[in-house]
Amino acid sequence: MIQRLIIDSNMLQSEHLRYFLNTSSTNFAVLPDFAWFEIYKQRSIEAVASALSVIGDFPEQVIVLKSGREIAEIDSRTPMMPSLMQYEDAAGSIREMVDILNGPGRNAPEILDQLDRMWDGAVNFLPGMLEGAQDIMASLPEMSEQMFKPQHLRIIRQNSRYTPEMFSSIFGAADQIWETLSDGGERRSTPSGFAENKTHTYLYRYALALVIYLLWWIRNGNQAQKRLDRARNDLIDLSFAVYGTYYEGLMTSDKKAGWMYENLRLALNAIEMETTTNR
C-alpha cells in the first residue's frame, strides 16, 4: 500500500524518516515549498547537505510539491489533483544536488552562485510571510469575539463536545475566509457544481485550517501576541497540515502541527459525509 507523508522540516534528518523510507519502496516523502525555505534560509552549504542526508539516499521516494500559489490555481474538479501539485523528475534534481554537495567541486563559483540564488529567494520570501503572520495574529481576538459566545469559548477551552451552532460558525467562517483569499474569482468563474468541490481546493483547506488555528489559540488561553518569527512558524505548521490532507498524513514532531492536521482532516471528513448524505 502506498504511503505518502508530508515531511515537516523538523523530521528531515530524523532516523524515523530514514526508517519509513527504508521499510518499503512504496513509502514516499512529500516535501512542500516551505521545507525548502527552511533548508535554504540557513545560508550554509553544510546545512543544505545535512538536510538532504536522509532523502538523498532515497531520491526515487521523494515527491516535491509546487509552490502554494501554483497549487491554489489548480481547478478542484480536476481528477487526481495531487499529481498536478507535484514537480516531475524530483529524483533527478535531488540526486544532482546530493552529488554536487558531496563532491569536491561544491565550492566552485557556479555552484555557490546557484546556492546564493536559492538562499536569496528564501530570505526575500521572509518579509511577506512576517507581514501575513502579523495580520492573522492581530485578527484572532476579533474573530474569536465574532464567532463564539462566552459559553462556546468555555467549551473549546474544556475540550468538550461542540454544539451545532459552533460548527455552523466554524464552517461559515471558513467559507468567508476562502472567498476573501480567492477574491471571489473561483465562485464567479466556475459552474454551480463547484460548491461540492470547494473542499478539494488548496485555498478552502487553508481557510479552514486558519479557523482551526483559531480554535487552538482559544484552547490554549488566547495567547498574547507572539513574536513575528514564531507566528510565521505557526503559519508554516498550518501549511504542512493542509498539504497533509491531500496525502496519507503528516510526519512531524510538533504537537501543535499534528493537532491542526488531525482536526483539519476530521473537519474535511465531516463536510464530505454531509455532502454525500445530502445528495
Side-chain angles (χ1 to χ4, degrees):
M1 186 171 102
I2 294 177
Q3 284 288 309
R4 302 161 299 175
L5 299 183
I6 295 292
I7 308 301
D8 198 341
S9 49
N10 56 38
M11 299 297 291
L12 270 177
Q13 302 175 49
S14 69
E15 286 305 309
H16 188 57
L17 174 58
R18 181 176 294 279
Y19 177 80
F20 170 72
L21 295 173
N22 195 44
T23 299
S24 172
S25 60
T26 61
N27 289 346
F28 292 87
V30 186
L31 304 183
D33 52 352
F34 286 118
W36 300 110
F37 167 78
E38 291 294 307
I39 291 172
Y40 288 114
K41 74 175 185 179
Q42 300 178 70
R43 209 174 188 93
S44 162
I45 291 179
E46 288 71 23
V48 177
S50 295
L52 298 176
S53 60
V54 176
I55 62 174
D57 292 339
F58 305 90
E60 303 295 337
Q61 293 171 245
V62 178
I63 296 171
V64 177
L65 298 185
K66 299 175 182 178
S67 70
R69 179 171 297 179
E70 292 176 276
I71 292 172
E73 294 175 353
I74 298 175
D75 190 332
S76 65
R77 296 164 297 164
T78 304
M80 303 298 293
M81 182 175 173
S83 64
L84 297 178
M85 296 165 56
Q86 304 163 185
Y87 283 117
E88 297 181 2
D89 195 28
S93 299
I94 291 173
R95 277 196 301 269
E96 180 182 3
M97 181 62 73
V98 169
D99 289 342
I100 289 173
L101 293 175
N102 292 332
R106 73 177 190 174
N107 290 312
E110 61 272 19
I111 300 303
L112 293 177
D113 285 345
Q114 180 180 353
L115 289 173
D116 273 336
R117 288 194 295 272
M118 294 177 176
W119 290 329
D120 288 343
V123 171
N124 292 335
F125 191 58
L126 182 60
M129 285 194 65
L130 291 177
E131 181 179 351
Q134 184 177 30
D135 292 342
I136 290 172
M137 293 303 296
S139 69
L140 293 180
E142 183 179 356
M143 287 179 63
S144 174
E145 183 176 340
Q146 290 178 348
M147 289 176 59
F148 300 114
K149 299 174 182 178
Q151 60 267 35
H152 296 157
L153 297 176
R154 286 194 295 272
I155 288 174
I156 296 171
R157 294 187 184 114
Q158 295 169 2
N159 199 28
S160 300
R161 183 182 293 274
Y162 287 13
T163 67
E165 184 180 2
M166 292 172 68
F167 282 117
S168 178
S169 294
I170 289 169
F171 293 122
D175 281 339
Q176 291 179 3
I177 295 172
W178 168 57
E179 292 179 13
T180 299
L181 291 176
S182 61
D183 197 27
E186 290 173 323
R187 294 179 66 87
R188 287 194 303 268
S189 61
T190 53
S192 58
F194 179 77
E196 296 182 2
N197 298 305
K198 70 179 181 182
T199 55
H200 297 291
T201 69
Y202 174 79
L203 287 180
Y204 180 81
R205 293 191 183 194
Y206 190 86
L208 184 55
L210 283 173
V211 179
I212 289 173
Y213 178 73
L214 170 66
L215 299 178
W216 177 88
W217 181 79
I218 295 171
R219 188 169 177 259
N220 287 271
N222 292 25
Q223 299 172 343
Q225 284 278 16
K226 293 185 175 185
R227 279 174 28 195
L228 284 183
D229 56 340
R230 293 183 180 176
R232 182 211 69 197
N233 289 339
D234 282 352
L235 295 188
I236 291 177
D237 289 341
L238 185 148
S239 295
F240 278 105
V242 172
Y243 289 128
T245 62
Y246 286 104
Y247 295 94
E248 283 70 54
L250 169 65
M251 182 184 293
T252 181
S253 62
D254 188 286
K255 291 182 179 179
K256 178 173 71 274
W259 186 88
M260 287 192 291
Y261 163 72
E262 287 297 334
N263 283 274
L264 177 58
R265 181 181 61 82
L266 290 172
L268 290 168
N269 287 345
I271 296 173
E272 182 67 26
M273 288 180 61
E274 182 178 0
T275 301
T276 302
T277 301
N278 293 334
R279 281 176 183 170

